[in-house]
Amino acid sequence: MDMPDTTVLIVDDEADIVSFLRDALEDEGYEVLTARDGEEAVRQAEKGPQLVLLDVMMDGMNGFEVCERIRSTVHGPIIFLSACQEEADRIKGLVVGGDDYLVKPFSLSELKARVHAHLRRERRQSESREEEILRFGDLTIDYNRRTVRIRGEEVELTAKMFEIVWLLALNRGHVFSREHIYERVWGLEADGDDSTVTEHIKKIRARLQAVSPDDNYIQTVWGVGYKWK
């Protein structure tokens, strides 16, 4: 089950947890980076890990803030680790750019299973891309660079925002329900609900219109879902 050449970043302010998780993942064949606080996590994220395990409750910069800081450089899955069980916390984790939310205490076997599942999904998506660049008038979507540009100006999107844009644009004219978007972008293993899709769509529209106010690329089909115009 090991995935060679795969780097995982572990971020937690408890040394025992970092050591335990590092040993467990190294045994699985992963290369492991570690960080004990938010600032160190941001620095380590610049090394390009394929997956991040991110504690929420840390002194200084918390996990949600770290996620927002590193989302532009980390394109792989981010799994939150937290003792907070409230639905609002899980939803916030997904909205700020996380892919999964695992409540402490968790079993090591479940953690490994989620890590494997997310990485398999990322690889399947990468291998199945038939087109790498999509163009719609002044707008260009480059999957390999994971960028969206309008008249050459880049639109800053989180990894999940980009995945939503790519899904809709690649299937131009097809209407996707919120549930379908959630399943395709976050995966069946994710712990959350499709309300986060609505929040992501709002943010995507705001960022696109900040660059091109007169264009409305994502259309709401009332009672059904969304489509790329």
Side-chain angles (χ1 to χ4, degrees):
M1 295 180 69
D2 60 316
M3 294 187 180
D5 303 321
T6 299
T7 302
V8 176
L9 170 60
I10 300 170
V11 184
D12 200 301
D13 58 1
E14 296 187 39
D16 290 345
I17 291 179
V18 171
S19 179
F20 174 70
L21 294 179
R22 182 186 61 226
D23 291 345
L25 292 177
E26 285 180 343
D27 287 344
E28 294 291 306
Y30 297 110
E31 180 179 344
V32 177
L33 303 172
T34 63
R36 295 281 304 283
D37 58 53
E39 293 297 338
E40 186 179 3
V42 172
R43 291 192 296 271
Q44 293 283 49
E46 294 176 354
K47 299 178 180 178
Q50 281 73 54
L51 182 140
V52 179
L53 298 176
L54 179 56
D55 184 33
V56 172
M57 303 302 293
M58 297 186 293
D59 291 334
M61 194 189 310
N62 66 37
F64 296 141
E65 294 168 324
V66 172
C67 184
E68 291 182 308
R69 286 276 300 274
I70 69 176
R71 243 323 170 197
S72 61
T73 56
V74 175
H75 302 310
I78 294 178
I79 302 176
F80 283 109
L81 308 177
S82 176
C84 300
Q85 303 185 37
E86 297 297 324
E87 181 183 21
D89 291 304
R90 296 198 301 271
I91 291 175
K92 182 175 182 180
L94 298 174
V95 169
V96 299
D99 300 271
D100 205 346
Y101 192 102
L102 190 56
V103 177
K104 296 179 180 179
F106 49 80
S107 71
L108 184 57
S109 59
E110 181 180 7
L111 174 69
K112 288 180 179 180
R114 294 200 187 200
V115 168
H116 289 312
H118 280 289
L119 290 173
R120 281 199 308 269
R121 179 170 167 269
E122 286 291 311
R123 294 196 174 192
R124 283 198 303 267
Q125 288 184 337
S126 297
E127 292 168 357
S128 66
R129 304 299 176 186
E130 296 180 358
E131 298 181 67
E132 297 178 351
I133 297 178
L134 301 176
R135 294 182 175 87
F136 302 92
D138 293 328
L139 183 144
T140 301
I141 307 171
D142 188 323
Y143 183 79
N144 284 340
R145 292 183 173 85
R146 300 181 75 85
T147 58
V148 174
R149 296 180 182 275
I150 299 177
R151 292 182 293 276
E153 181 176 349
E154 184 171 350
V155 180
E156 292 191 8
L157 301 176
T158 67
K160 289 304 175 193
M161 290 181 197
F162 180 86
E163 288 293 342
I164 292 173
V165 167
W166 182 263
L167 173 65
L168 296 179
L170 189 61
N171 299 277
R172 181 180 182 180
H174 180 83
V175 181
F176 288 89
S177 67
R178 293 193 315 172
E179 294 84 357
H180 194 179
I181 294 172
Y182 185 81
E183 290 178 3
R184 291 284 295 272
V185 174
W186 275 268
L188 295 174
E189 302 94 351
D191 185 11
D193 62 56
D194 57 34
S195 63
T196 190
V197 173
T198 303
E199 296 300 319
H200 276 68
I201 293 289
K202 289 179 182 177
K203 291 182 178 181
I204 292 168
R205 283 173 167 162
R207 297 187 187 191
L208 291 173
Q209 290 177 349
V211 178
S212 185
D214 296 330
D215 290 317
N216 180 23
Y217 293 99
I218 299 177
Q219 179 180 352
T220 298
V221 180
W222 296 108
V224 183
Y226 304 98
K227 71 176 181 179
W228 190 265
K229 291 182 64 176

